Amino acid sequence: MTSKLNQLLGTKLNIIQAPMAGVQNWELAVAVSEAGGLGSIPCGMLTPEKVVEEIEQFKAHSDKRYNLNFFCHEMEPIDQDSLKNWQSLLQGYYRDLEVESPNGLQGLRYPFDSKMADCIEPFKPPVLSFHFGLPSQELIERIKSWGTVILSSATTLEEAIWLEKHGADIIIAQGVEAGGHRAMFLTNDLNSQMPTVELLLALQSHVSVPIVAAGGIGSKDDIRKLVELGSSGVQVGTAFLLCNEVKTTKVHRASLKSNKQITAITNVFSGRPARGIRNKVMIELDYISKEAPKFPYASIAMAPLRAKAESQLSCDFTPLWSGTNRNACEEVSASDLMKTLTS
Ligand SMILES: Cc1cc2nc3c(=O)[nH]c(=O)nc-3n(C[C@H](O)[C@H](O)[C@H](O)COP(=O)(O)O)c2cc1C
């Protein structure tokens, strides 16, 4: 399975740099691919034009393979009542920070669609990864016709079986330790979410495609242990967050560096559960709020609060995405981090 993964990825090392929307671009992807891993470009928050720019930048700086990452959630119609209700819950914060509650639809995350496929088709990207399931069968068949390898994350055994059946060539087993959004797409029940090792073991005898463990990986010993347990490779995100090539903001960097800050899962930033370092708004809204509008609409209401707070160097309203393990987070080049993780 390890060599099958190696063939599919076409890289020297079976290490995938986790795509991390909002904090990195082609620069980190180039550094990781040049270091022998698979660099990923997060495209979930980009327009098709911007995605094309990212691919062109990658190709101008590296001839290695790369992964483009997209979200494929169902974009339900906007529920104005739910948005209004959420904004009224946040009213006190708007008042304290002296900002207007927003009325546009800026900064939303859109799912992968045929327009995006049109834009990336000329590049025949070597690898595409998806979060929150997979796009339609028609799009999957189209992507496969380019020779592109398809990855997606599973958080339960049912999701892994579903992904293999619907065309994933590689399954990322996203354990509950992982930073950022939970990839869960067949369940909303957070009690179903398992630690990385447990999930890896649960999946092994039930899927025939390579499994890549993700979540809480912060050392070469973590990687060795997962490979010994049968993982074909690993996907690592949080460990890269302080690297020189990453655009992590000042407040996010400061929180990542603090040993005292622990993480929790919350839906208050986007409407979907995601793991980040605990901050004021997560705690005060009880982490998982039934009132939060559906993904991705909850993020609209939080945007001005985040902007104003960050301008005052406060992280109170910032999604400080991070996994549980920050042991490998250091202000070094991604190539040095790759050496630490693999030497
Ligand atoms: C800051 C951050 C942003 C993330 N954004 C994405 C994303 O855009 N797409 C995606 O598929 N996964 C995203 N993830 C989740 C990763 O794919 C992966 O599951 C996770 O980083 C692995 O756990 P670790 O952070 O403990 O290494 C993100 C993770 C972090 C930490």
PDB file of all heavy atoms in Angstrom, residues 96-99 251 305-317:
ATOM      1  N   ASP A  96     -19.561  46.831  21.149  1.00  0.00           N
ATOM      2  CA  ASP A  96     -18.292  47.010  21.883  1.00  0.00           C
ATOM      3  C   ASP A  96     -17.151  47.400  20.948  1.00  0.00           C
ATOM      4  O   ASP A  96     -16.311  48.220  21.290  1.00  0.00           O
ATOM      5  CB  ASP A  96     -17.888  45.719  22.608  1.00  0.00           C
ATOM      6  CG  ASP A  96     -18.838  45.399  23.749  1.00  0.00           C
ATOM      7  OD1 ASP A  96     -19.663  46.273  24.091  1.00  0.00           O
ATOM      8  OD2 ASP A  96     -18.765  44.271  24.266  1.00  0.00           O
ATOM      9  N   LEU A  97     -17.124  46.765  19.765  1.00  0.00           N
ATOM     10  CA  LEU A  97     -15.997  47.026  18.852  1.00  0.00           C
ATOM     11  C   LEU A  97     -16.293  48.163  17.875  1.00  0.00           C
ATOM     12  O   LEU A  97     -15.466  48.494  17.026  1.00  0.00           O
ATOM     13  CB  LEU A  97     -15.635  45.759  18.075  1.00  0.00           C
ATOM     14  CG  LEU A  97     -14.871  44.707  18.875  1.00  0.00           C
ATOM     15  CD1 LEU A  97     -14.670  43.436  18.063  1.00  0.00           C
ATOM     16  CD2 LEU A  97     -13.518  45.222  19.338  1.00  0.00           C
ATOM     17  N   GLU A  98     -17.498  48.737  18.002  1.00  0.00           N
ATOM     18  CA  GLU A  98     -17.924  49.850  17.137  1.00  0.00           C
ATOM     19  C   GLU A  98     -17.799  49.511  15.659  1.00  0.00           C
ATOM     20  O   GLU A  98     -17.129  50.196  14.891  1.00  0.00           O
ATOM     21  CB  GLU A  98     -17.120  51.118  17.479  1.00  0.00           C
ATOM     22  CG  GLU A  98     -17.419  51.599  18.892  1.00  0.00           C
ATOM     23  CD  GLU A  98     -16.533  52.755  19.330  1.00  0.00           C
ATOM     24  OE1 GLU A  98     -15.534  53.017  18.661  1.00  0.00           O
ATOM     25  OE2 GLU A  98     -16.866  53.369  20.343  1.00  0.00           O
ATOM     26  N   VAL A  99     -18.405  48.353  15.277  1.00  0.00           N
ATOM     27  CA  VAL A  99     -18.461  47.992  13.852  1.00  0.00           C
ATOM     28  C   VAL A  99     -19.918  47.760  13.451  1.00  0.00           C
ATOM     29  O   VAL A  99     -20.772  47.471  14.288  1.00  0.00           O
ATOM     30  CB  VAL A  99     -17.628  46.724  13.524  1.00  0.00           C
ATOM     31  CG1 VAL A  99     -16.145  46.961  13.709  1.00  0.00           C
ATOM     32  CG2 VAL A  99     -18.094  45.515  14.325  1.00  0.00           C
ATOM     33  N   VAL A 251      -1.636  37.473  15.162  1.00  0.00           N
ATOM     34  CA  VAL A 251      -2.366  36.986  16.344  1.00  0.00           C
ATOM     35  C   VAL A 251      -2.426  35.456  16.361  1.00  0.00           C
ATOM     36  O   VAL A 251      -2.354  34.827  17.407  1.00  0.00           O
ATOM     37  CB  VAL A 251      -3.794  37.587  16.460  1.00  0.00           C
ATOM     38  CG1 VAL A 251      -3.751  39.078  16.687  1.00  0.00           C
ATOM     39  CG2 VAL A 251      -4.660  37.236  15.267  1.00  0.00           C
ATOM     40  N   LEU A 305     -15.966  41.716  12.936  1.00  0.00           N
ATOM     41  CA  LEU A 305     -15.468  41.631  14.318  1.00  0.00           C
ATOM     42  C   LEU A 305     -14.012  41.180  14.302  1.00  0.00           C
ATOM     43  O   LEU A 305     -13.150  41.727  14.999  1.00  0.00           O
ATOM     44  CB  LEU A 305     -16.304  40.622  15.126  1.00  0.00           C
ATOM     45  CG  LEU A 305     -17.764  40.996  15.310  1.00  0.00           C
ATOM     46  CD1 LEU A 305     -18.557  39.831  15.882  1.00  0.00           C
ATOM     47  CD2 LEU A 305     -17.887  42.217  16.225  1.00  0.00           C
ATOM     48  N   ARG A 306     -13.753  40.198  13.467  1.00  0.00           N
ATOM     49  CA  ARG A 306     -12.388  39.688  13.362  1.00  0.00           C
ATOM     50  C   ARG A 306     -11.433  40.783  12.877  1.00  0.00           C
ATOM     51  O   ARG A 306     -10.363  40.998  13.452  1.00  0.00           O
ATOM     52  CB  ARG A 306     -12.379  38.508  12.378  1.00  0.00           C
ATOM     53  CG  ARG A 306     -10.997  38.017  12.109  1.00  0.00           C
ATOM     54  CD  ARG A 306     -10.951  36.964  11.027  1.00  0.00           C
ATOM     55  NE  ARG A 306      -9.559  36.605  10.784  1.00  0.00           N
ATOM     56  CZ  ARG A 306      -9.169  35.603  10.032  1.00  0.00           C
ATOM     57  NH1 ARG A 306     -10.065  34.849   9.431  1.00  0.00           N
ATOM     58  NH2 ARG A 306      -7.888  35.354   9.858  1.00  0.00           N
ATOM     59  N   ALA A 307     -11.865  41.486  11.814  1.00  0.00           N
ATOM     60  CA  ALA A 307     -10.997  42.519  11.229  1.00  0.00           C
ATOM     61  C   ALA A 307     -10.662  43.607  12.256  1.00  0.00           C
ATOM     62  O   ALA A 307      -9.499  43.998  12.421  1.00  0.00           O
ATOM     63  CB  ALA A 307     -11.662  43.121   9.994  1.00  0.00           C
ATOM     64  N   LYS A 308     -11.703  44.074  12.956  1.00  0.00           N
ATOM     65  CA  LYS A 308     -11.481  45.161  13.923  1.00  0.00           C
ATOM     66  C   LYS A 308     -10.604  44.665  15.082  1.00  0.00           C
ATOM     67  O   LYS A 308      -9.636  45.333  15.484  1.00  0.00           O
ATOM     68  CB  LYS A 308     -12.832  45.657  14.446  1.00  0.00           C
ATOM     69  CG  LYS A 308     -12.764  46.831  15.403  1.00  0.00           C
ATOM     70  CD  LYS A 308     -12.353  48.110  14.678  1.00  0.00           C
ATOM     71  CE  LYS A 308     -12.203  49.314  15.582  1.00  0.00           C
ATOM     72  NZ  LYS A 308     -13.431  49.965  15.974  1.00  0.00           N
ATOM     73  N   ALA A 309     -10.930  43.484  15.601  1.00  0.00           N
ATOM     74  CA  ALA A 309     -10.156  42.954  16.734  1.00  0.00           C
ATOM     75  C   ALA A 309      -8.695  42.754  16.338  1.00  0.00           C
ATOM     76  O   ALA A 309      -7.786  43.118  17.088  1.00  0.00           O
ATOM     77  CB  ALA A 309     -10.767  41.642  17.224  1.00  0.00           C
ATOM     78  N   GLU A 310      -8.481  42.183  15.146  1.00  0.00           N
ATOM     79  CA  GLU A 310      -7.090  41.941  14.722  1.00  0.00           C
ATOM     80  C   GLU A 310      -6.318  43.240  14.553  1.00  0.00           C
ATOM     81  O   GLU A 310      -5.118  43.301  14.817  1.00  0.00           O
ATOM     82  CB  GLU A 310      -7.046  41.111  13.434  1.00  0.00           C
ATOM     83  CG  GLU A 310      -7.328  39.641  13.689  1.00  0.00           C
ATOM     84  CD  GLU A 310      -7.066  38.745  12.487  1.00  0.00           C
ATOM     85  OE1 GLU A 310      -6.480  39.207  11.490  1.00  0.00           O
ATOM     86  OE2 GLU A 310      -7.470  37.563  12.539  1.00  0.00           O
ATOM     87  N   SER A 311      -7.036  44.311  14.128  1.00  0.00           N
ATOM     88  CA  SER A 311      -6.345  45.600  13.968  1.00  0.00           C
ATOM     89  C   SER A 311      -5.878  46.119  15.335  1.00  0.00           C
ATOM     90  O   SER A 311      -4.996  46.952  15.428  1.00  0.00           O
ATOM     91  CB  SER A 311      -7.242  46.628  13.259  1.00  0.00           C
ATOM     92  OG  SER A 311      -8.224  47.077  14.176  1.00  0.00           O
ATOM     93  N   GLN A 312      -6.499  45.597  16.394  1.00  0.00           N
ATOM     94  CA  GLN A 312      -6.066  45.972  17.755  1.00  0.00           C
ATOM     95  C   GLN A 312      -5.208  44.856  18.375  1.00  0.00           C
ATOM     96  O   GLN A 312      -5.061  44.761  19.590  1.00  0.00           O
ATOM     97  CB  GLN A 312      -7.300  46.219  18.631  1.00  0.00           C
ATOM     98  CG  GLN A 312      -8.169  47.344  18.097  1.00  0.00           C
ATOM     99  CD  GLN A 312      -9.547  47.398  18.786  1.00  0.00           C
ATOM    100  OE1 GLN A 312      -9.918  46.501  19.543  1.00  0.00           O
ATOM    101  NE2 GLN A 312     -10.295  48.444  18.500  1.00  0.00           N
ATOM    102  N   LEU A 313      -4.719  43.977  17.498  1.00  0.00           N
ATOM    103  CA  LEU A 313      -3.883  42.827  17.900  1.00  0.00           C
ATOM    104  C   LEU A 313      -4.578  41.893  18.895  1.00  0.00           C
ATOM    105  O   LEU A 313      -3.948  41.281  19.751  1.00  0.00           O
ATOM    106  CB  LEU A 313      -2.532  43.280  18.455  1.00  0.00           C
ATOM    107  CG  LEU A 313      -1.602  43.934  17.437  1.00  0.00           C
ATOM    108  CD1 LEU A 313      -0.259  44.271  18.069  1.00  0.00           C
ATOM    109  CD2 LEU A 313      -1.397  43.035  16.224  1.00  0.00           C
ATOM    110  N   SER A 314      -5.906  41.792  18.739  1.00  0.00           N
ATOM    111  CA  SER A 314      -6.653  40.872  19.596  1.00  0.00           C
ATOM    112  C   SER A 314      -7.085  39.662  18.751  1.00  0.00           C
ATOM    113  O   SER A 314      -7.511  39.805  17.604  1.00  0.00           O
ATOM    114  CB  SER A 314      -7.885  41.579  20.156  1.00  0.00           C
ATOM    115  OG  SER A 314      -8.893  40.633  20.441  1.00  0.00           O
ATOM    116  N   CYS A 315      -6.985  38.467  19.347  1.00  0.00           N
ATOM    117  CA  CYS A 315      -7.383  37.248  18.620  1.00  0.00           C
ATOM    118  C   CYS A 315      -8.778  36.782  19.048  1.00  0.00           C
ATOM    119  O   CYS A 315      -9.179  35.666  18.758  1.00  0.00           O
ATOM    120  CB  CYS A 315      -6.354  36.142  18.842  1.00  0.00           C
ATOM    121  SG  CYS A 315      -6.301  35.591  20.561  1.00  0.00           S
ATOM    122  N   ASP A 316      -9.540  37.657  19.710  1.00  0.00           N
ATOM    123  CA  ASP A 316     -10.832  37.262  20.286  1.00  0.00           C
ATOM    124  C   ASP A 316     -11.839  36.724  19.270  1.00  0.00           C
ATOM    125  O   ASP A 316     -12.732  35.967  19.619  1.00  0.00           O
ATOM    126  CB  ASP A 316     -11.475  38.464  20.989  1.00  0.00           C
ATOM    127  CG  ASP A 316     -10.772  38.804  22.297  1.00  0.00           C
ATOM    128  OD1 ASP A 316      -9.927  37.998  22.734  1.00  0.00           O
ATOM    129  OD2 ASP A 316     -11.066  39.875  22.871  1.00  0.00           O
ATOM    130  N   PHE A 317     -11.751  37.173  18.009  1.00  0.00           N
ATOM    131  CA  PHE A 317     -12.753  36.777  17.008  1.00  0.00           C
ATOM    132  C   PHE A 317     -12.123  36.076  15.806  1.00  0.00           C
ATOM    133  O   PHE A 317     -12.757  35.916  14.777  1.00  0.00           O
ATOM    134  CB  PHE A 317     -13.548  38.013  16.552  1.00  0.00           C
ATOM    135  CG  PHE A 317     -14.334  38.630  17.677  1.00  0.00           C
ATOM    136  CD1 PHE A 317     -13.772  39.612  18.480  1.00  0.00           C
ATOM    137  CD2 PHE A 317     -15.612  38.168  17.971  1.00  0.00           C
ATOM    138  CE1 PHE A 317     -14.475  40.165  19.541  1.00  0.00           C
ATOM    139  CE2 PHE A 317     -16.327  38.712  19.031  1.00  0.00           C
ATOM    140  CZ  PHE A 317     -15.764  39.703  19.823  1.00  0.00           C
TER     141      PHE A 317
END
